[in-house]
Amino acid sequence: MEIIAPVDKFFHHIPEKIINDKRYMPYFKDCIGAIDGTHVDARIPVEEQVAYIGRHHSPTQNVMAACDFNMCFTFVSPGWEGSAHNARIFKHAVMDPKYNFPAPPPGITNL
């Protein structure tokens, strides 16, 4: 398994894309990236399909991904049932330390 980690893993620096754009500063100065989910078509055995039926009525897997401001993935959580809500996937990733979800260490803030 390959570990994906942010370049500035302690989030000491505000990304230049935020510092240099008055539309984003000061609103996103403490932001460390972006998170979104997407549904990917899945081929599931008929007897297991019910949990994977998403909002478009076909079997999907819900995949959550996070990226930094260099558009590099810093976290991916694949394989969730299509019926799984994004908040459930996010909570699971954040609450379980074994997933090593990227977050600034306690007490670290951008100055």
Side-chain angles (χ1 to χ4, degrees):
M1 176 194 304
E2 184 177 342
I3 302 295
I4 301 171
V7 174
D8 180 10
K9 69 181 184 175
F10 295 109
F11 305 101
H12 287 126
H13 302 94
I14 299 173
E16 286 189 36
K17 291 177 181 174
I18 291 177
I19 290 174
N20 296 328
D21 193 328
K22 64 183 177 185
R23 295 175 301 170
Y24 301 136
M25 274 298 281
Y27 310 108
F28 293 99
K29 70 179 180 64
D30 294 324
C31 185
I32 62 174
I35 299 172
D36 200 3
T38 188
H39 286 260
V40 178
D41 287 340
R43 303 289 179 248
I44 307 294
V46 174
E47 61 274 5
E48 297 176 31
Q49 281 187 5
V50 172
Y52 288 85
I53 301 297
R55 63 182 185 196
H56 295 292
H57 310 292
S58 62
T60 62
Q61 287 187 354
N62 195 345
V63 179
M64 182 185 76
C67 66
D68 62 16
F69 287 96
N70 294 319
M71 300 301 288
C72 294
F73 288 107
T74 57
F75 187 83
V76 176
S77 182
W80 284 83
E81 311 87 38
S83 62
H85 193 279
N86 291 342
R88 177 178 163 212
I89 300 168
F90 177 71
K91 182 179 177 183
H92 187 262
V94 171
M95 299 300 283
D96 194 331
K98 78 178 178 185
Y99 294 111
N100 199 25
F101 187 79
I108 300 295
T109 60
N110 293 326
L111 301 175

